[in-house]
């Protein structure tokens, strides 16, 4: 299985809602990533988990809360979002960050989030 | 600091013609270089990467890229373009020095292949 899956594909939420995005991979990868991507722009790194521990937080607002319950799963909990948070949220995984940066990242299809 | 430049927002080629999508980079150490493609409403798909060794890297779907250290470039090429190659292409770099493991992406180049 060489796939990263993400659910849901689309999500519409109000500014007072709480929702979660889910990412799953079964490639045995030990690094997982969340990116935010606006239309026709490059992905912006949000969080990196390495061996189920948060290793990079790119100064993301606290209304985004990541969680890595096990080596195959990555969640992004959303609360009190703003309309400007509307974007495509991409999950990625790679064998390990400890390989000196040569790892290939494998991306999921993304969740299209709209905040009303 | 590491950075990537994709100098062309848009590249148009006719089907069957060769294509080139340009990428230049800046790193303090040695670079790891990647090309990804993104189709509409999809995630990024890995095409190829340069780590070390042969400067000509061959990847998926007939794409290749040439690493040129003196020009700090890593241009993506394909000998004969297909309409289905039309997509958004991103070059990415990781510095093996201080920023190892953290990718910097270029702004992307939209490739349009016309029949």
């Amino acid at each position: 299985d060489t796939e990263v899956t993400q659910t849901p594909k689309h999500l519409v939420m109000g500014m007072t809602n709480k929702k979660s995005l889910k990412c799953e991979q079964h490639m045995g990868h030990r690094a997982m990533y969340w990116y935010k991507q606006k239309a026709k722009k490059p992905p912006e790194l949000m969080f990196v988990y390495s061996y189920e521990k948060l290793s990079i937080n790119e100064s993301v607002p606290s209304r985004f809360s990541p969680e890595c319950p096990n080596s195959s799963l990555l969640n992004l909990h959303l609360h009190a979002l703003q309309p400007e948070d509307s974007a495509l949220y991409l999950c990625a995984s790679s064998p390990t960050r400890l390989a000196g940066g040569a790892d290939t990242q494998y991306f999921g299809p993304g969740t299209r989030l709209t905040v009303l | 600091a590491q950075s990537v430049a994709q100098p062309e927002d848009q590249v148009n080629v006719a089907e069957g013609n060769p294509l080139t999508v340009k990428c230049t980079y800046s790193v303090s150490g040695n670079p790891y270089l990647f090309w990804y493609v993104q189709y509409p409403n999809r995630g990024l798909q890995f095409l190829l990467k340069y780590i070390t060794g042969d400067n000509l890297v061959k990847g998926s779907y007939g794409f290749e890229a040439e690493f040129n250290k003196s020009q700090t470039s890593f241009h993506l090429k394909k000998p004969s373009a297909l309409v289905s190659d039309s997509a958004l292409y991103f070059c990415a770099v990781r510095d093996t020095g201080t920023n190892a493991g953290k990718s910097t992406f270029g702004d992307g180049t939209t490739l349009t292949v016309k029949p």
Side-chain angles (χ1 to χ4, degrees):
Chain A
D1 188 352
T2 58
E3 194 177 19
V4 176
T5 59
Q6 290 187 244
T7 54
K9 289 185 179 181
H10 301 277
L11 179 61
V12 179
M13 59 186 292
M15 290 190 285
T16 58
N17 292 157
K18 286 185 180 181
K19 297 286 184 182
S20 296
L21 310 184
K22 180 180 173 181
C23 173
E24 194 165 3
Q25 56 88 15
H26 295 287
M27 295 179 278
H29 290 173
R30 303 308 299 272
M32 296 185 78
Y33 310 75
W34 280 116
Y35 287 87
K36 174 184 177 181
Q37 187 183 27
K38 292 282 197 178
K40 302 216 180 247
K41 296 293 185 184
E44 300 170 30
L45 184 65
M46 300 175 72
F47 304 102
V48 181
Y49 273 83
S50 180
Y51 292 85
E52 295 92 69
K53 293 185 179 177
L54 184 64
S55 59
I56 294 179
N57 178 339
E58 290 289 279
S59 302
V60 178
S62 60
R63 58 185 183 269
F64 295 91
S65 175
E67 179 196 20
C68 189
N70 60 55
S71 60
S72 300
L73 282 174
L74 185 66
N75 298 320
L76 186 63
H77 303 297
L78 315 172
H79 174 53
L81 295 192
Q82 304 296 310
E84 59 265 28
D85 297 321
S86 298
L88 182 68
Y89 287 84
L90 294 167
C91 174
S93 71
S94 68
T96 172
R97 275 192 68 243
L98 301 179
D103 281 359
T104 298
Q105 293 183 16
Y106 295 90
F107 285 81
T111 294
R112 175 73 61 188
L113 174 67
T114 302
V115 181
L116 301 176
Chain B
Q2 59 190 31
S3 65
V4 176
Q6 292 181 241
E8 300 158 317
D9 291 336
Q10 178 93 32
V11 171
N12 298 313
V13 298
E15 189 174 29
N17 282 2
L19 69 86
T20 299
V21 182
K22 295 180 181 177
C23 172
T24 59
Y25 67 90
S26 175
V27 297
S28 57
N30 291 315
Y32 294 139
L33 293 155
F34 302 79
W35 274 104
Y36 290 89
V37 60
Q38 186 175 31
Y39 295 97
N41 299 310
R42 302 292 300 274
L44 277 67
Q45 287 179 235
F46 169 73
L47 284 177
L48 50 81
K49 68 181 178 183
Y50 172 81
I51 304 300
T52 187
D54 195 347
N55 289 343
L56 184 63
V57 179
K58 293 190 183 295
S60 306
Y61 313 118
F63 284 94
E64 59 188 29
E66 186 166 12
F67 172 67
N68 187 318
K69 189 172 184 178
S70 62
Q71 297 185 6
T72 62
S73 67
F74 189 57
H75 301 331
L76 182 70
K77 299 183 180 185
K78 187 173 182 182
S80 179
L82 300 172
V83 173
S84 57
D85 293 328
S86 299
L88 181 58
Y89 290 79
F90 290 104
C91 180
V93 67
R94 286 192 217 136
D95 192 337
T96 58
T98 57
N99 292 314
K102 188 172 167 181
S103 298
T104 297
F105 287 85
D107 285 341
T109 298
T110 299
L111 172 68
T112 301
V113 181
K114 297 184 178 179

